[in-house]
Amino acid sequence: MADVIDEKIKNYRTAPFDARFPNTNQTRNCYQNYLDFHRCNKALTSKGQDVSPCVWYQRVYQSLCPVSWVSKWDEQIEDGSFPGKI
């Protein structure tokens, strides 16, 4: 399984099509992948497991999201004021 994930990450170029977000506007896709990355990190860290599968979500949101949004969300997480459930 880790080999498959490593292969996908190695061949990664840009965010693939996601059927949950078929429209041109990818704002929700960006936000959802940001949440998924942090949820994955939190879940695997609490279990003491390797967090390398979470890298996929990080690469997708970094491809889709403007840097200003990500930095704002990171600041909100640090301050404890982030509106999403992580």
Side-chain angles (χ1 to χ4, degrees), residues 40-86:
C40 178
N41 244 354
K42 183 178 178 181
L44 294 181
T45 301
S46 68
K47 294 178 183 177
Q49 296 179 351
D50 182 28
V51 294
S52 62
C54 304
V55 173
W56 174 258
Y57 298 115
Q58 184 180 32
R59 291 180 125 187
V60 171
Y61 86 71
Q62 286 177 339
S63 171
L64 293 172
C65 301
V67 175
S68 61
W69 292 4
V70 173
S71 61
K72 179 182 175 187
W73 293 337
D74 288 340
E75 289 173 10
Q76 288 176 336
I77 288 173
E78 289 174 14
D79 296 341
S81 62
F82 185 71
K85 287 189 176 184
I86 295 178

Side-chain angles (χ1 to χ4, degrees), residues 3-66:
D3 296 337
V4 173
I5 292 171
D6 290 339
E7 186 66 26
K8 283 185 177 183
I9 290 174
K10 180 182 165 195
N11 294 329
Y12 177 82
R13 297 290 179 244
T14 187
F17 176 75
D18 190 338
R20 299 175 297 168
F21 310 102
N23 299 324
T24 304
N25 187 346
Q26 294 294 301
T27 303
R28 291 199 58 203
N29 191 358
C30 154
Y31 184 71
Q32 187 61 50
N33 278 288
Y34 183 83
L35 288 177
D36 289 344
F37 168 71
H38 287 284
R39 288 176 181 160
C40 178
N41 244 354
K42 183 178 178 181
L44 294 181
T45 301
S46 68
K47 294 178 183 177
Q49 296 179 351
D50 182 28
V51 294
S52 62
C54 304
V55 173
W56 174 258
Y57 298 115
Q58 184 180 32
R59 291 180 125 187
V60 171
Y61 86 71
Q62 286 177 339
S63 171
L64 293 172
C65 301

